[in-house]
Amino acid sequence: MELAGKIALVTGAGSGIGKAAALRMAEEGADLILVSRSADELEQVARSVRTLGRKAVVQAADIADDAAMSRLFNFVREEFDTIDILFANAGVNGVWAPIDELKPSEWDETIRINLRGTFLTIHHAVPLMRQKGGSIVITASINGTRTFTSAGASAYSTTKAGQLALGKMLALELAKDRIRVNVVCPGAIATEISENTVKRDIEEAKFPSVFPEGKVPLTGGKPGTAAEVADLVAFLASDRASHITGTPVWIDGGESLLV
């Protein structure tokens, strides 16, 4: 129960890594504020959190909408006064296509959700966290931070590189407030996000890459699980990580070391 008495806010909490992290932190004693665009998904997660004996509050919001995020954090201020843990996890893969085929509107939407959304989440959370410090964890990816061979993923990879840079910048800026900022960079993880990826003519953007047998050396090609990423998030949120900030952690079974 390392997180007992702490309040954690998780974006993208309705499924995948966000859901797994919310449940893991509830197991460790935290109360949860669950955020995503789908209230129905969140309610299911909230019920699971409550069965663990923890409080769960559901708030549907578009993380890239400043007015929506302002309302969300006004609610948090009124209901909780503070938060201890922020997991800025919500994001999309968006459209993957050759750069000359990728539409400006498709580029803009990926940037809007992944970068603007992460910025707004942290922008509104920091005033609440300054009261007593805490931990911010951002979900980036191996794409754009250590690997660059995912054909057509230029918009997505750019946002992931930006999230890593933002995390490092804020680790210094917020150190005086005792707020730690770290970045998790998953590789192949079994979640629903890949099912929502639009890939168009990506063969045109591919560059030949030769891999050893199996893309995930540690598991013989088997992807990791959301629960494994959740364990990392819970660690970074805990006092065991009290001297860790500004650090990217690649959780990919060695996948990104192949290129």
Coordinates of all heavy atoms in Angstrom, one line a residue, residues 193-239:
I193 N -4.9 0.3 -28.8 CA -4.5 1.5 -29.6 C -4.2 1.2 -31.0 O -4.5 2.0 -31.9 CB -3.4 2.3 -28.9 CG1 -3.2 3.7 -29.5 CG2 -2.1 1.6 -28.9 CD1 -2.3 4.6 -28.8
S194 N -3.5 0.1 -31.2 CA -3.1 -0.3 -32.6 C -4.3 -0.5 -33.5 O -4.3 -0.3 -34.7 CB -2.2 -1.5 -32.6 OG -2.9 -2.6 -32.1
E195 N -5.4 -0.9 -32.9 CA -6.7 -1.2 -33.7 C -7.3 0.1 -34.1 O -8.1 0.1 -35.1 CB -7.7 -1.9 -32.8 CG -7.2 -3.3 -32.3 CD -8.1 -3.9 -31.3 OE1 -9.2 -3.3 -31.1 OE2 -7.8 -5.0 -30.8
N196 N -6.9 1.2 -33.5 CA -7.5 2.5 -33.9 C -6.5 3.4 -34.7 O -6.7 4.6 -34.9 CB -7.8 3.3 -32.6 CG -8.9 2.6 -31.8 OD1 -9.8 2.0 -32.3 ND2 -8.7 2.6 -30.5
T197 N -5.4 2.7 -35.2 CA -4.5 3.4 -36.1 C -4.9 3.3 -37.5 O -5.2 2.2 -38.0 CB -3.1 2.8 -35.9 OG1 -2.7 2.7 -34.5 CG2 -2.0 3.5 -36.7
V198 N -4.8 4.4 -38.2 CA -5.1 4.4 -39.7 C -3.8 4.4 -40.4 O -3.0 5.3 -40.2 CB -5.9 5.7 -40.1 CG1 -6.1 5.7 -41.6 CG2 -7.2 5.7 -39.3
K199 N -3.5 3.3 -41.2 CA -2.3 3.2 -41.9 C -2.6 3.3 -43.4 O -3.5 2.5 -43.9 CB -1.6 1.9 -41.6 CG -1.1 1.9 -40.2 CD -0.3 0.6 -39.9 CE 0.2 0.6 -38.4 NZ 1.0 -0.6 -38.1
R200 N -2.0 4.2 -44.1 CA -2.3 4.4 -45.6 C -1.0 4.5 -46.4 O -0.1 5.3 -46.2 CB -3.1 5.7 -45.7 CG -3.6 5.9 -47.1 CD -4.6 7.2 -47.1 NE -3.9 8.4 -46.8 CZ -4.2 9.2 -45.7 NH1 -5.1 8.9 -44.9 NH2 -3.5 10.3 -45.5
D201 N -0.8 3.5 -47.3 CA 0.3 3.5 -48.2 C 1.7 3.5 -47.5 O 2.6 4.1 -48.0 CB 0.2 4.6 -49.2 CG -1.0 4.6 -50.1 OD1 -1.4 3.4 -50.4 OD2 -1.5 5.6 -50.5
I202 N 1.7 2.8 -46.3 CA 3.0 2.9 -45.6 C 4.1 2.2 -46.2 O 5.3 2.5 -45.9 CB 2.8 2.4 -44.1 CG1 2.4 1.0 -44.1 CG2 1.8 3.3 -43.3 CD1 2.4 0.3 -42.7
E203 N 3.9 1.3 -47.1 CA 4.9 0.6 -47.9 C 5.8 1.7 -48.6 O 7.0 1.5 -48.8 CB 4.4 -0.4 -48.9 CG 3.7 -1.6 -48.2 CD 4.7 -2.4 -47.4 OE1 5.9 -2.5 -47.8 OE2 4.3 -2.9 -46.3
E204 N 5.2 2.8 -49.0 CA 5.9 3.8 -49.8 C 6.9 4.5 -48.9 O 7.8 5.2 -49.3 CB 4.9 4.8 -50.4 CG 4.0 4.2 -51.4 CD 4.7 3.7 -52.6 OE1 5.7 4.3 -53.0 OE2 4.4 2.6 -53.1
A205 N 6.7 4.5 -47.6 CA 7.5 5.2 -46.6 C 8.6 4.3 -45.9 O 9.4 4.8 -45.2 CB 6.7 5.9 -45.5
K206 N 8.5 3.0 -46.2 CA 9.4 2.1 -45.6 C 10.8 2.1 -46.1 O 11.1 2.3 -47.3 CB 8.9 0.6 -45.7 CG 7.8 0.3 -44.7 CD 7.5 -1.2 -44.8 CE 6.5 -1.6 -43.7 NZ 6.1 -3.0 -43.7
F207 N 11.8 2.0 -45.2 CA 13.2 1.8 -45.5 C 13.6 0.4 -45.0 O 13.2 0.0 -43.9 CB 14.0 2.9 -44.8 CG 15.5 2.9 -45.2 CD1 15.8 3.6 -46.4 CD2 16.4 2.1 -44.6 CE1 17.2 3.6 -46.8 CE2 17.8 2.1 -45.0 CZ 18.1 2.9 -46.1
P208 N 14.3 -0.4 -45.9 CA 14.6 -1.7 -45.5 C 15.3 -1.8 -44.2 O 16.3 -1.1 -43.9 CB 15.5 -2.2 -46.6 CG 15.1 -1.3 -47.8 CD 14.8 0.0 -47.2
S209 N 14.8 -2.6 -43.3 CA 15.5 -2.9 -42.0 C 15.6 -4.4 -41.7 O 14.6 -5.1 -42.0 CB 14.6 -2.2 -40.8 OG 14.5 -0.9 -41.0
V210 N 16.7 -4.8 -41.3 CA 17.0 -6.2 -41.0 C 17.0 -6.4 -39.5 O 17.8 -5.8 -38.8 CB 18.3 -6.7 -41.7 CG1 18.5 -8.2 -41.4 CG2 18.2 -6.5 -43.2
F211 N 16.1 -7.3 -39.0 CA 16.0 -7.5 -37.6 C 16.5 -9.0 -37.3 O 16.3 -9.9 -38.2 CB 14.5 -7.4 -37.1 CG 14.0 -6.0 -37.2 CD1 13.3 -5.6 -38.3 CD2 14.2 -5.1 -36.2 CE1 12.8 -4.3 -38.3 CE2 13.8 -3.8 -36.2 CZ 13.0 -3.4 -37.3
P212 N 17.0 -9.2 -36.1 CA 17.2 -10.6 -35.7 C 15.8 -11.2 -35.6 O 14.8 -10.5 -35.6 CB 17.8 -10.4 -34.3 CG 18.4 -9.1 -34.3 CD 17.5 -8.2 -35.2
E213 N 15.8 -12.5 -35.4 CA 14.5 -13.2 -35.3 C 13.7 -12.8 -34.1 O 14.2 -12.8 -33.0 CB 14.7 -14.7 -35.2 CG 13.4 -15.6 -35.2 CD 13.7 -17.1 -35.2 OE1 14.9 -17.4 -35.3 OE2 12.7 -17.8 -35.1
G214 N 12.5 -12.3 -34.3 CA 11.7 -11.9 -33.2 C 12.0 -10.4 -32.9 O 13.1 -10.0 -32.8
K215 N 10.9 -9.6 -32.8 CA 11.1 -8.2 -32.6 C 11.2 -7.8 -31.2 O 11.6 -6.6 -30.8 CB 9.9 -7.4 -33.2 CG 10.0 -7.3 -34.8 CD 9.0 -6.3 -35.3 CE 9.2 -6.2 -36.8 NZ 8.2 -5.1 -37.3
V216 N 11.0 -8.7 -30.2 CA 11.1 -8.4 -28.8 C 12.0 -9.4 -28.2 O 11.6 -10.5 -27.9 CB 9.8 -8.4 -28.1 CG1 9.9 -7.9 -26.6 CG2 8.7 -7.5 -28.8
P217 N 13.3 -9.1 -28.1 CA 14.3 -10.2 -27.7 C 14.0 -10.9 -26.4 O 14.2 -12.1 -26.3 CB 15.6 -9.3 -27.6 CG 15.4 -8.2 -28.5 CD 14.0 -7.8 -28.5
L218 N 13.5 -10.1 -25.4 CA 13.3 -10.7 -24.1 C 12.2 -11.7 -24.1 O 12.2 -12.6 -23.3 CB 13.0 -9.6 -23.1 CG 13.0 -9.9 -21.6 CD1 14.4 -10.3 -21.2 CD2 12.5 -8.7 -20.8
T219 N 11.3 -11.6 -25.0 CA 10.1 -12.5 -25.0 C 9.9 -13.3 -26.3 O 8.9 -13.9 -26.5 CB 8.8 -11.7 -24.7 OG1 8.6 -10.8 -25.8 CG2 8.8 -11.0 -23.4
G220 N 10.9 -13.3 -27.1 CA 10.8 -14.0 -28.4 C 9.8 -13.5 -29.3 O 9.2 -14.2 -30.1
G221 N 9.5 -12.2 -29.3 CA 8.6 -11.5 -30.2 C 7.3 -11.2 -29.6 O 6.4 -10.5 -30.2
K222 N 7.0 -11.8 -28.4 CA 5.7 -11.5 -27.7 C 5.6 -10.1 -27.2 O 6.6 -9.7 -26.5 CB 5.5 -12.5 -26.6 CG 4.1 -12.4 -25.9 CD 4.0 -13.5 -24.8 CE 2.7 -13.3 -24.1 NZ 2.6 -14.3 -23.0
P223 N 4.6 -9.3 -27.4 CA 4.5 -8.0 -26.9 C 4.3 -8.0 -25.4 O 3.9 -9.0 -24.8 CB 3.2 -7.4 -27.6 CG 2.4 -8.6 -27.9 CD 3.4 -9.7 -28.3
G224 N 4.7 -6.8 -24.8 CA 4.5 -6.7 -23.4 C 3.0 -6.5 -23.0 O 2.2 -6.4 -23.9
T225 N 2.7 -6.3 -21.8 CA 1.3 -6.2 -21.3 C 1.2 -4.8 -20.7 O 2.1 -4.2 -20.2 CB 0.9 -7.2 -20.3 OG1 1.7 -7.0 -19.1 CG2 1.2 -8.6 -20.9
A226 N -0.1 -4.3 -20.7 CA -0.4 -3.1 -20.0 C -0.1 -3.1 -18.6 O 0.3 -2.1 -17.9 CB -1.9 -2.7 -20.3
A227 N -0.3 -4.3 -18.0 CA 0.0 -4.5 -16.5 C 1.5 -4.3 -16.2 O 1.8 -3.7 -15.2 CB -0.4 -5.9 -16.1
E228 N 2.4 -4.7 -17.1 CA 3.8 -4.5 -16.9 C 4.1 -3.0 -16.9 O 5.0 -2.5 -16.2 CB 4.6 -5.2 -18.0 CG 4.5 -6.8 -17.7 CD 5.1 -7.6 -18.9 OE1 4.9 -7.2 -20.1 OE2 5.7 -8.6 -18.6
V229 N 3.5 -2.2 -17.8 CA 3.7 -0.8 -17.9 C 3.1 -0.2 -16.6 O 3.7 0.7 -16.0 CB 3.1 -0.2 -19.1 CG1 3.4 1.3 -19.2 CG2 3.6 -0.8 -20.4
A230 N 2.0 -0.7 -16.2 CA 1.4 -0.2 -14.9 C 2.3 -0.3 -13.7 O 2.3 0.6 -12.9 CB 0.0 -0.9 -14.7
D231 N 3.0 -1.4 -13.7 CA 3.9 -1.6 -12.5 C 5.0 -0.6 -12.5 O 5.4 0.0 -11.5 CB 4.6 -3.0 -12.6 CG 3.7 -4.1 -12.2 OD1 2.7 -3.9 -11.5 OD2 3.9 -5.3 -12.6
L232 N 5.5 -0.2 -13.7 CA 6.5 0.9 -13.9 C 5.9 2.2 -13.4 O 6.6 3.0 -12.7 CB 7.0 0.9 -15.3 CG 8.0 2.1 -15.6 CD1 9.2 2.1 -14.7 CD2 8.3 2.1 -17.1
V233 N 4.7 2.5 -13.9 CA 4.1 3.8 -13.5 C 3.9 3.9 -12.0 O 4.2 4.9 -11.4 CB 2.7 3.9 -14.2 CG1 2.0 5.2 -13.7 CG2 2.9 4.0 -15.7
A234 N 3.4 2.8 -11.4 CA 3.2 2.8 -9.9 C 4.5 3.0 -9.2 O 4.6 3.7 -8.2 CB 2.6 1.5 -9.5
F235 N 5.6 2.4 -9.7 CA 6.9 2.6 -9.1 C 7.4 4.1 -9.2 O 7.8 4.7 -8.2 CB 8.0 1.7 -9.8 CG 9.4 2.1 -9.4 CD1 9.9 1.9 -8.2 CD2 10.2 2.7 -10.4 CE1 11.2 2.3 -7.9 CE2 11.5 3.1 -10.1 CZ 12.0 2.9 -8.8
L236 N 7.2 4.7 -10.4 CA 7.6 6.1 -10.6 C 6.8 7.0 -9.8 O 7.2 8.1 -9.4 CB 7.6 6.4 -12.1 CG 8.6 5.8 -12.9 CD1 8.4 6.1 -14.4 CD2 10.1 6.2 -12.6
A237 N 5.6 6.6 -9.5 CA 4.7 7.5 -8.7 C 5.0 7.3 -7.2 O 4.6 8.2 -6.4 CB 3.2 7.1 -8.9
S238 N 5.7 6.3 -6.8 CA 5.9 6.0 -5.4 C 7.1 6.7 -4.8 O 8.0 7.2 -5.5 CB 6.0 4.5 -5.2 OG 7.3 4.1 -5.6
D239 N 7.2 6.7 -3.5 CA 8.4 7.3 -2.8 C 9.7 6.5 -3.1 O 10.8 7.0 -2.8 CB 8.1 7.3 -1.3 CG 7.1 8.4 -1.0 OD1 6.8 9.3 -1.8 OD2 6.5 8.3 0.1

